[in-house]
Amino acid sequence: MNFAPLPSVDVAQVPSDGLVLDVRENDEWAAGHVEGALHIPMSDFVARFGELTEAAEDGRRVHVMCRVGGRSAQVTQYLVQQGIDAVNIDGGMLAWDGAGRPMVTDNGAPAFVL
């Protein structure tokens, strides 16, 4: 079998209005996340798959994010197999933070990567 390389992008390539899917757990999300991101923890992903297909129904590219890129790579691979235009964000939230891209919290506290 021939596996295509996993599609991935650098944090700088994620458009500010892009659809970001954050697959980190709730405590990681609470510490800091991308504003407007869709949060579906990897552990809940299969059960909540419909939320993602609804968000991406117009054919939008899904930018998948975790802390460093391991979990998001697995989810990206799954999405690509389902025929969804998905890319893994290289370096995850650590790279996002390192590039100075904006992060928010739900409670207004300073955002950080857990």
Side-chain angles (χ1 to χ4, degrees):
M1 291 177 77
N2 190 1
F3 289 102
L6 188 70
S8 62
V9 294
D10 185 83
V11 291
Q13 295 173 285
V14 179
S16 56
D17 62 347
L19 173 56
V20 174
L21 169 65
D22 191 323
V23 299
R24 298 175 302 149
E25 295 304 314
N26 291 329
D27 58 338
E28 295 173 286
W29 168 267
H33 55 267
V34 177
E35 189 168 10
L38 175 62
H39 179 225
I40 305 178
M42 187 171 166
S43 54
D44 296 343
F45 192 73
V46 174
R48 294 175 57 191
F49 183 64
E51 290 175 47
L52 174 69
T53 54
E54 201 171 294
E57 68 186 351
D58 53 3
R60 290 171 75 192
R61 168 166 281 181
V62 180
H63 302 82
V64 190
M65 167 92 81
C66 68
R67 184 170 183 268
V68 291
R71 288 170 286 179
S72 55
Q74 294 175 50
V75 172
T76 300
Q77 190 167 30
Y78 175 78
L79 293 175
V80 169
Q81 288 168 346
Q82 307 304 313
I84 293 172
D85 179 11
V87 292
N88 190 30
I89 299 176
D90 277 337
M93 282 299 293
L94 289 176
W96 185 274
D97 187 30
R101 300 281 312 249
M103 297 189 306
V104 297
T105 59
D106 292 335
N107 63 7
F112 66 97
V113 178
L114 184 66

